[in-house]
Each structure stands twice: as structure tokens, then as C-alpha cells.
Amino acid sequence: MTDQNARPRSFSASVPLKGRIAIPGDKSISHRALMLSALAVGESRVTGLLEGHDVLATAAAMRAMGATIERRTDGEWRINGVGVGGLLQPREALDMGNSGTSTRLLMGLIASHPITATFVGDASLSGRPMGRVIDPLAQMGADITSSPGGRLPLMVRGLAPAIPISYRLPVASAQVKSAVLLAGLNTGGVTEVIEPVPTRDHSERMLRGFGADLTVEADADGTRHICIMGEAELKPQTIVVPGDPSSAAFFIVAALLVPGSDVTITNVGLNPTRAGLIDVLRQMGGDIELIDPREVGGEPVADLRVRHSALSGITVDPAVTPSMIDEFPILFVAAALAQGRTTTTGLDELRVKESDRLAVMSTGLRAIGARVIETEDGLIIEGTGGDPLPGGATVAGHLDHRICMSFAIAGLVTGSSVTIDDMGPVATSFPISRPCWENCSHDDPPQRRRNRLRCRSVADRRRGRAR
Ligand code: S3P
């Protein structure tokens, strides 16, 4: 059956890419900026916020729980928070769309408030495991009823006061870490997260920035102990969101692969817990120059000048995985054009992202002529040595923005073209300048209608305010 609202797009061999490009705000930081601002007492101001569907889902949820969130016509967001402990019971189910980060972090917030909320999402999100957050939050006293397999739709009944816990992360996941820390905000005493493998630390940085009493200590083996003291009082902040390195990744690889390219990507967040792809691409021979390294909103940032390079295959050290967890789909595209073999291992987490990214990338890459072997926990790719891929196929995006973007870039380096069956999901993390409901694309008509209505009401409110 074809989806009438799908947005198929074809991408074909590109001329050299030249010039400067600014990428949208960091998705992880944008979610956290909205959530913490909505819990502070007073008005926070956020510029550079990513206005993709995922972040708008977080904004809608925080509004539904009492925060006042407005976007000014100049693009600045103003958020008046309810105070930690002050979240109100949402009247309707929280529609998380495609967003795992919204879902897992908000489950944490609600777990220690005396409110009940139901979470729903699209087909991709409804297939993703939530047991990883249900377990620690249940230990803190939340009552969570999920669909079979610990999936959405699910209902969280929070407990206040909740029980502080010490929780050792069984998977390297910033979402799980953040869910527990956010639950700890409104929990008297010390809530501890023990993190054997470091993951993105935006929650820790921003919680401290908002005035939470949060400490991080590392054992000799690198295991981090992150402790938050509740009940916290958060002070409003002015936040500048840097550009998203996960979005920059597509343009970095495009510039490396398309012969003759020379592109500068401005204002890219380079938090070391996110910058793994740059190290890996440099190991492969990528010419990536950091220009004007600086700090924006408490995060390291630089402009990146990227020039076409002959890449060589490598064995990617699995230790780098958490710092480039979302960048493997586009790394696989780079590997498909490199000289020789690229081997990746330790990527089982990729199977539970917006899609099974190992299976979907290996199927799609093979369809466009790449040589790929899928293993249990990675891909082995024999590159073309820079020759274009044959292309000439339609690949399925599986409601996964990063898969769609990766195959769009692959299309630029084929002898023909690549068609992606639906580019709509790209708007979750990379909004393009059209009214946002035009970019809504979901698999089932009722969901689509709900999203269209939600998007419209955001737009209506903005128009109302602009008057
Ligand atoms: C995110 C953490 C990562 C990442 C996701 C965003 C976050 O997920 O893949 O896109 O903002 O905390 P996991 O925690 O599942 O690794």
C-alpha cells in the first residue's frame, strides 16, 4: 500500500559543493532547554532553538503541563516555568510523534510529580523499547503501565515524594541517564546515576547552569558518578543553542565525498561527547579544519571547513560509539565510497533507534550498489575507492530522519540517482522553511490528522502572538 502523503524525493550526482552553510540548533540541547526552562521559576530566553517536530512535541507537552512557552517573531523563545514540583496534570495524552528523547526525558520528569500522563507516538516510536526507563523510574516509585514489550502507548503515574535511588546504567544511554536525573530534580535527597561509559553530557551541563546541585566524579576506570540533590530550585536562564553536530554530519560527509567540494559549516557544537564522527572521518583521511573554536551557551563550538578527500576504510574503535551514536548511518555512506574495508562493531543500540539502522542501512546501501555485510552488531563495508555508486534504486526511510538524510547524501555520489520513498521525517530534526504541517508525514491517517492539527495550532498561536 502506498502512503498518499509520502514525500518521495530523488537526489542525483552533484556538482562540487562550495560555500557556507548554517545548520539548525542542537536537538538534544533544545529539548533540555525547554524542559528545564519550563521547570524554572521566572522567564528563560532561548535562541537558536531547533524548531523541528521532535522539539515542538516537547514544547507542546510542557505547555500541556502548565508552562507558558512563546516564540517571538525574531525567533527567540520565551518560557515561563512552573517551578520544580509544579507540573500540572495534562488533560490529554502527550503526543510524542517520532521523538524518543521527548518521551524518555518527560517520563522522568513526570515520575516524581503527583500527576498522571499518557504517552502516544507514531509507528516508529511505538515500536521502541521503554523498559530501559521504566525500570529505574519504577524503582523511584512511579507506577507505569505500558503496552506489551514495554512500549507506547504507556501511562506514567508519578509519585511525590519519590524515592531517591542509585542507578547503574545497563546500557550506554544519555536518555536513560537524563530520565533518572530529571526524576531526581523533584526527589528529596541524592539521586545517583552510575555511568560506566560516558554519553552526551548536555543534561549535566544544563542542570548545573540552571542552578541544580549536581556533582560528577569519575573512578580510575572512567566510570562516572553523577549525583543530583533534590528538591532543586531552578533559576531562569538565557540560552544560546549551538548548531547540531548530528545535522552537520550530513554536510561534512557530502563535502568529503563530492569531488571538488569546499564547504564551511558554521557554529557546529563540538562537545567531546558528540564529536566522535569528526575523529573517525579524520582517521579515514578526511580534511576537516576547525576554525575559530569558541564557547556558545556553555558548549564548545567551531566552524568546520571541509574539503573533498580520498577516504580510506578503517576498523572503527567501538569505544567511540556513544560519541557518534546518531552518525553511523552517514558514516556507512562515507565508508561505501572509501578505499578498502570499513568494519564497525558494538552497534547493537542502532537496532532500537527510530528504525533498525543496521538492517535498514545495509539493505538500502546494497540496493544502490554498495558492498555491505551485516553482522549482529555492525556493518562491514567494502568501499568503491571514490568511484560513484551505481544508484538507480528507491530506498525506504522507515520514518527515520537520519536514514532519509543519509541516502539523500548517497544520491549525490551515484552514477544516476537515489530516491527516498518519504523525506517527510527529515522535519523532525531538520526543519525546512515551509509551514511545519506541510512537512508532517506519518504512516496512519488519524495520526497524520492529529499532527496536522497540532502543527496548525502551533502556527495559529504564533500568528496570534505576532498580531
Ligand atoms: C539523545 C541520546 C541518544 C541519541 C538521541 C538523542 C539525547 O539516545 O541517540 O538521538 O538527547 O539524550 P540514547 O540515549 O538512546 O543513546
Side-chain angles (χ1 to χ4, degrees), residues 142-368:
D143 179 6
I144 303 175
T145 316
S146 70
S147 300
R151 299 185 200 278
L152 263 53
L154 61 72
M155 192 172 79
V156 180
R157 184 172 294 127
L159 177 71
I163 305 152
I165 60 169
S166 172
Y167 189 69
R168 191 180 180 87
L169 293 174
V171 281
S173 166
Q175 292 178 350
V176 179
K177 166 176 69 177
S178 304
V180 176
L181 292 175
L182 291 178
L185 265 181
N186 194 40
T187 303
V190 176
T191 297
E192 180 186 31
V193 177
I194 303 170
E195 188 181 51
V197 179
T199 64
R200 64 189 69 192
D201 63 357
H202 306 302
S203 294
E204 295 93 306
R205 285 175 189 246
M206 205 180 280
L207 279 163
R208 273 217 205 96
F210 271 84
D213 180 354
L214 181 140
T215 57
V216 182
E217 277 169 24
D219 294 340
D221 68 356
T223 299
R224 297 165 82 237
H225 296 254
I226 307 152
C227 293
I228 186 160
M229 171 70 87
E231 296 142 349
E233 204 173 290
L234 302 185
K235 293 179 200 61
Q237 300 297 310
T238 297
I239 298 171
V240 182
V241 179
D244 196 326
S246 299
S247 294
F250 302 104
F251 298 92
I252 296 173
V253 171
L256 291 175
L257 295 186
V258 175
S261 295
D262 184 350
V263 174
T264 298
I265 308 159
T266 57
N267 190 36
V268 182
L270 288 180
N271 180 315
T273 61
R274 297 285 300 283
L277 178 73
I278 293 176
D279 294 339
V280 168
L281 289 172
R282 280 180 165 163
Q283 282 170 41
M284 295 173 78
D287 179 353
I288 305 172
E289 187 188 342
L290 265 53
I291 299 169
D292 188 17
R294 54 202 184 269
E295 209 169 88
V296 171
E299 297 273 346
V301 158
D303 301 332
L304 303 182
R305 182 170 181 193
V306 188
R307 280 171 271 213
H308 169 252
S309 310
L311 300 181
S312 305
I314 58 165
T315 296
V316 179
D317 179 358
V320 80
T321 301
S323 67
M324 56 174 290
I325 187 70
D326 293 334
E327 283 67 80
F328 280 95
I330 191 62
L331 174 71
F332 297 148
V333 174
L337 272 288
Q339 176 70 51
R341 175 178 295 186
T342 297
T343 305
T344 54
T345 52
L347 303 182
D348 356 63
E349 272 296 298
L350 262 61
R351 296 207 183 272
V352 290
K353 294 295 179 188
E354 284 83 333
S355 68
D356 176 342
R357 288 180 173 164
L358 291 181
V360 167
M361 283 306 297
S362 85
T363 305
L365 281 172
R366 278 201 294 259
I368 60 172

Side-chain angles (χ1 to χ4, degrees), residues 56-218:
L56 296 180
T58 290
M62 297 316 295
R63 276 198 194 102
M65 292 189 283
T68 306
I69 303 180
E70 297 183 353
R71 182 191 189 277
R72 289 167 25 124
T73 45
D74 62 3
E76 181 185 84
W77 288 68
R78 296 215 172 154
I79 300 122
N80 271 281
V82 294
V84 172
L87 290 180
L88 304 177
Q89 166 103 24
R91 277 187 290 182
E92 291 173 7
L94 301 176
D95 186 350
M96 302 283 94
N98 189 256
S99 180
T101 307
S102 310
T103 307
R104 292 180 175 139
L105 271 56
L106 290 173
M107 285 173 67
L109 276 185
I110 290 165
S112 60
H113 278 74
I115 59 175
T116 299
T118 299
F119 290 79
V120 296
D122 72 3
S124 155
L125 184 60
S126 303
R128 298 182 67 185
M130 296 298 152
R132 54 183 61 197
V133 276
I134 295 174
D135 289 348
L137 298 179
Q139 286 177 31
M140 295 182 79
D143 179 6
I144 303 175
T145 316
S146 70
S147 300
R151 299 185 200 278
L152 263 53
L154 61 72
M155 192 172 79
V156 180
R157 184 172 294 127
L159 177 71
I163 305 152
I165 60 169
S166 172
Y167 189 69
R168 191 180 180 87
L169 293 174
V171 281
S173 166
Q175 292 178 350
V176 179
K177 166 176 69 177
S178 304
V180 176
L181 292 175
L182 291 178
L185 265 181
N186 194 40
T187 303
V190 176
T191 297
E192 180 186 31
V193 177
I194 303 170
E195 188 181 51
V197 179
T199 64
R200 64 189 69 192
D201 63 357
H202 306 302
S203 294
E204 295 93 306
R205 285 175 189 246
M206 205 180 280
L207 279 163
R208 273 217 205 96
F210 271 84
D213 180 354
L214 181 140
T215 57
V216 182
E217 277 169 24

